[in-house]
């Protein structure tokens, strides 16, 4: 079977709703790890959560930037969602990074403008491990006191850039980490302490 | 869950009425709204089978969020039994088949017009506000290009001046409903026409707050545990309404009261605007001073007679 012909959600309506609702919970509670339903099959290289979020969020109106490791799923993405591949990071509604260490610098993505901050890229970063009992200390909207999040395989530069981005609010990118069936979010409002 | 009883939409309709493309567009807007608390996100509002003024923005937000496992509560002016609330609840029952409730503590989604329930909302719940006018700066500056700039630069000085003028002129701030708030110290936001009595409930609320304006095509949000401060001044701190009365039915002295006409001779009484809260208190044995003579038995059982609509 070619990658393109792989099946998507078993139930397009309710699996998309279920995935969205879990992502909304993750976005509303930064650092919280949630589990999303996966599609019936995933193209090689994509974790179920990564595939699930793409099926849930993307369509013809959302250019998706794919890193080199994700380029092979362009056909699958186009078949199931109709989403065009973004030619550059700066014009991507969504960006998929399967190789976080090689990810382009954060300021290469669209941060929106002060007046239209929502016109910004949402990064979907697939990682090898996620844990909520170690790593960064997170504060900000959605967090009662503080949360923890540990993400494997990010460069030190990336973390430095993400902290620097906080000063640009309301401009910025929102980041969603995926790992297996699990998802955690880091919206631009979240303050990362070491 | 038993597949036989799985909630479904009425024949011929997609689950929750909206097509999947529209849901995706609204879902993307909701996610950005949560990421930028208090900022209004434009969205491609759809025609709905209810007219504007019936909460088509809130309905679209709820339709994009709701799933088969949800339990929906719909209130208007605090009551579950008003025409608007009954109509919207019926719409979602037909279009999703999901369970509905009047109990605030049993709902996973509360769609509301004009009130926040008295019962504290908990983490995991979602409250969806129906918004007629989303722009807090509209009455200062009718041009959208200008209000966008003011939000972009957080230039809210004119709003403070306007409110201060109210104080000088009337001795207090006139705005009793839809009183502007500052979200997360950054965005000025209209809370929708809730009484300012409800404003403090928005501050660091554990539930997720979503706002939908259908006619004006805007969605905005306040994530859980987010600072929401009503605008005020050092010499004129923000104050909420207080009543000299208690609820005639349940005796509550800390809920928002509606003054209602109870009979043909114009007798009046004060009762809780939140009918679920009032009913729950009476079920627990709380009692008010009682309604004036001539008040019908049906009303004493919890209906809401003479309630002003708008
Ligand atoms: Zn009462």
């Amino acid at each position: 079977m070619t990658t393109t012909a792989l099946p998507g959600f078993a139930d397009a309506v309710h699996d998309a709703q279920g995935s969205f609702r879990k992502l909304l919970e993750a976005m509303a509670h930064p650092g919280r790890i949630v589990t999303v339903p996966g599609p019936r099959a995933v193209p090689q290289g994509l974790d179920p959560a990564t595939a699930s979020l793409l099926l849930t969020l993307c369509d013809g109106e959302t250019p998706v930037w794919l890193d080199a490791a994700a380029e092979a799923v362009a056909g699958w993405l186009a078949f199931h969602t109709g989403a065009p591949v973004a030619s550059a990071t700066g014009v991507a509604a969504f960006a998929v990074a399967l190789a976080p260490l090689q990810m382009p610098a954060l300021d290469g993505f669209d941060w929106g403008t002060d007046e239209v901050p929502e016109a910004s890229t949402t990064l979907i970063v697939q990682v090898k491990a996620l844990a909520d009992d170690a790593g960064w200390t997170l504060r900000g909207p959605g967090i009662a006191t503080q949360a923890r999040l540990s993400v494997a395989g990010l460069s030190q530069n990336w973390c430095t850039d993400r902290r620097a981005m906080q000063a640009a609010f309301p401009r910025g990118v929102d980041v969603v980490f995926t790992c297996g069936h699990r998802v955690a979010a880091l919206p631009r409002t979240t303050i990362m302490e070491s | 869950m038993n597949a036989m009883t799985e909630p479904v939409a009425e024949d011929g309709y997609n689950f929750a009425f909206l097509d999947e493309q529209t849901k995706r567009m609204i879902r993307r807007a909701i996610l950005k709204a949560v990421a930028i608390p208090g900022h209004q996100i434009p969205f491609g509002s759809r025609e709905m089978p209810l007219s504007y003024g019936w909460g088509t923005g809130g309905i679209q937000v709820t339709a994009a969020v709701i799933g088969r496992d949800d339990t929906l509560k719909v209130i208007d002016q605090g009551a579950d039994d008003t025409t608007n609330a009954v109509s919207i609840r019926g719409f979602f029952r037909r279009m999703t088949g999901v369970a509905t409730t009047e109990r605030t503590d049993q709902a996973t989604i509360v769609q509301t017009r004009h009130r926040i329930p008295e019962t504290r909302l908990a983490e995991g719940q979602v409250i969806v506000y129906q918004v007629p006018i989303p722009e807090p700066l509209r009455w200062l500056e009718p041009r959208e290009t200008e209000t966008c700039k003011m939000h972009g630069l957080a230039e809210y000085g004119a709003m403070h001046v306007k409110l201060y003028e109210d104080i000088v002129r009337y001795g207090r701030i006139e705005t009793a409903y839809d009183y502007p708030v500052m979200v997360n110290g950054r965005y000025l936001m209209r809370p929708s026409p809730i009484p300012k009595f409800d404003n403090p409930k928005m501050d660091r609320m554990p539930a997720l707050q979503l706002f939908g304006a259908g006619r004006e095509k805007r969605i905005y949000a306040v994530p859980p545990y987010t600072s929401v401060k009503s605008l005020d001044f050092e010499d004129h701190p923000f104050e909420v309404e207080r009543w000299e009365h208690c609820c005639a039915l349940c005796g509550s002295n800390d809920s928002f009261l509606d003054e209602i006409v109870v009979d043909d001779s114009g007798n009046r009484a004060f009762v809780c605007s939140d009918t679920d809260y009032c009913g729950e208190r009476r079920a627990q044995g709380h009692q008010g001073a009682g309604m004036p003579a001539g008040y019908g038995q049906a009303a004493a059982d919890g209906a809401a007679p003479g309630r002003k609509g708008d």
Side-chain angles (χ1 to χ4, degrees):
Chain A
M1 198 186 287
T2 67
T3 298
T4 301
L6 287 173
F9 282 134
D11 184 329
V13 171
H14 297 291
D15 288 347
Q17 188 276 334
S19 291
F20 165 71
R21 196 61 173 276
K22 285 296 181 183
L23 176 58
L24 179 61
E25 181 187 347
M27 199 62 103
H29 298 276
R32 177 179 296 181
I33 298 173
V34 300
T35 302
V36 298
R40 290 178 56 197
V42 289
Q44 194 173 13
L46 287 193
D47 281 2
T50 314
S52 191
L53 295 186
L54 291 172
L55 294 176
T56 299
L57 298 170
C58 300
D59 56 32
E61 295 173 6
T62 59
V64 179
W65 180 83
L66 301 168
D67 74 358
E71 270 173 8
V73 306
W76 172 87
L77 184 67
F79 175 73
H80 283 289
T81 72
V85 171
S87 52
T89 51
V91 296
F94 294 96
V96 181
L98 302 186
L101 270 179
Q102 278 88 51
M103 212 182 336
L106 270 186
D107 60 6
F109 295 99
D110 191 349
W111 288 18
T113 63
D114 284 335
E115 289 179 30
V116 192
E118 70 274 22
S120 54
T121 308
T122 301
L123 257 64
I124 300 172
V125 182
Q126 182 173 304
V127 299
K128 290 276 183 284
L130 272 180
D132 57 8
D133 56 358
W136 306 313
T137 297
L138 308 178
R139 298 180 197 281
I143 301 170
T145 51
Q146 61 173 59
R148 305 292 302 277
L149 186 66
S150 159
V151 178
L154 293 172
S155 70
Q156 193 51 50
N157 278 349
W158 193 91
C159 299
T160 306
D161 290 351
R162 172 57 182 74
R163 283 199 184 89
M165 190 192 80
Q166 288 162 196
F169 188 85
R171 299 190 308 120
V173 294
D174 308 307
V175 184
V176 180
F177 296 108
T178 57
C179 179
H181 280 85
R182 300 185 310 148
V183 170
L186 204 59
R188 69 194 75 182
T189 47
T190 305
I191 296 159
M192 276 169 56
E193 296 168 5
S194 48
Chain B
M1 190 180 289
N2 185 336
M4 297 290 286
T5 60
E6 200 79 88
V8 291
E10 207 168 88
D11 261 0
Y13 290 97
N14 192 27
F15 183 82
F17 183 79
L18 296 175
D19 61 276
E20 292 302 298
Q21 159 83 29
T22 299
K23 286 183 196 167
R24 257 194 312 278
M25 176 262 297
I26 295 174
R27 286 168 180 165
R28 291 194 296 257
I30 291 173
L31 291 170
K32 286 296 178 192
V34 170
I36 313 166
H39 171 62
Q40 304 164 50
I41 316 272
F43 79 109
S45 181
R46 294 292 188 258
E47 288 295 322
M48 298 298 286
L50 297 154
S51 58
Y52 290 129
W54 283 72
T56 57
I59 291 170
Q60 290 177 82
V61 168
T62 296
V65 167
I66 200 166
R68 288 184 293 200
D69 297 336
D70 277 309
T71 302
L72 177 68
K73 172 182 168 77
V74 183
I75 51 171
D76 179 15
Q77 309 269 1
D80 300 82
D81 58 3
T82 47
T83 314
N84 190 308
V86 169
S87 165
I88 293 171
R89 191 164 56 243
F91 172 77
F92 279 109
R93 211 182 274 132
R94 289 201 316 279
M95 294 303 155
T96 66
V98 304
T100 59
T101 183
E102 297 193 359
R103 293 281 304 272
T104 299
D105 57 359
Q106 288 175 9
T108 54
I109 300 174
V110 178
Q111 179 166 329
T112 181
R113 174 174 179 266
H114 293 191
R115 281 306 313 279
I116 297 174
E118 306 292 1
T119 304
R120 270 179 65 89
L121 293 172
E123 192 175 302
Q125 291 183 299
V126 179
I127 179 166
V128 178
Y129 299 79
Q130 300 172 202
V131 179
I133 302 171
E135 179 50 71
L137 301 166
R138 176 70 49 82
W139 48 303
L140 292 173
E141 173 53 73
R143 290 169 298 178
E144 199 180 303
T145 48
E146 292 304 309
T147 55
C148 272
K149 276 182 205 158
M150 291 159 86
H151 287 297
L153 300 167
E155 265 181 16
Y156 297 133
M159 191 68 170
H160 276 98
V161 169
K162 174 78 176 94
L163 285 180
Y164 203 82
E165 282 173 0
D166 262 11
I167 294 175
V168 171
R169 195 169 303 148
Y170 307 109
R172 63 190 175 91
I173 295 174
E174 273 296 279
T175 315
Y177 290 86
D178 218 347
Y179 188 97
V181 294
M182 188 66 83
V183 178
N184 196 31
R186 175 57 180 79
Y187 278 100
L188 193 65
M189 185 186 93
R190 277 182 100 127
S192 86
I194 55 172
K196 63 181 181 179
F197 177 89
D198 284 341
N199 277 23
K201 296 174 185 167
M202 306 180 84
D203 185 35
R204 299 188 55 80
M205 183 191 279
L208 172 61
Q209 305 177 68
L210 303 177
F211 300 79
R215 189 180 52 229
E216 305 234 355
K217 303 177 168 56
R218 292 289 186 281
I219 285 169
Y220 49 102
V222 177
Y225 310 112
T226 300
S227 156
V228 177
K229 296 293 177 213
S230 303
L231 290 192
D232 68 351
F233 307 90
E234 253 173 52
D235 47 345
H236 292 275
F238 173 80
E239 283 175 352
V240 298
E241 301 90 327
R242 294 270 170 235
W243 288 263
E244 289 168 8
H245 310 262
C246 294
C247 171
L249 296 172
C250 77
S252 173
N253 62 4
D254 59 2
S255 86
F256 189 87
L257 301 180
D258 283 339
E259 189 178 10
I260 60 170
V261 179
V262 296
D263 58 25
D264 292 342
S265 38
N267 278 315
R268 288 161 184 275
F270 287 88
V271 297
C272 292
S273 136
D274 184 333
T275 51
D276 167 63
Y277 173 79
C278 193
E280 283 304 307
R281 278 181 52 85
R282 280 178 281 152
Q284 290 160 13
H286 296 282
Q287 265 190 353
M291 301 297 270
Y295 185 65
Q297 187 54 42
D301 284 342
R307 197 178 291 278
K308 304 189 296 289
D310 61 349

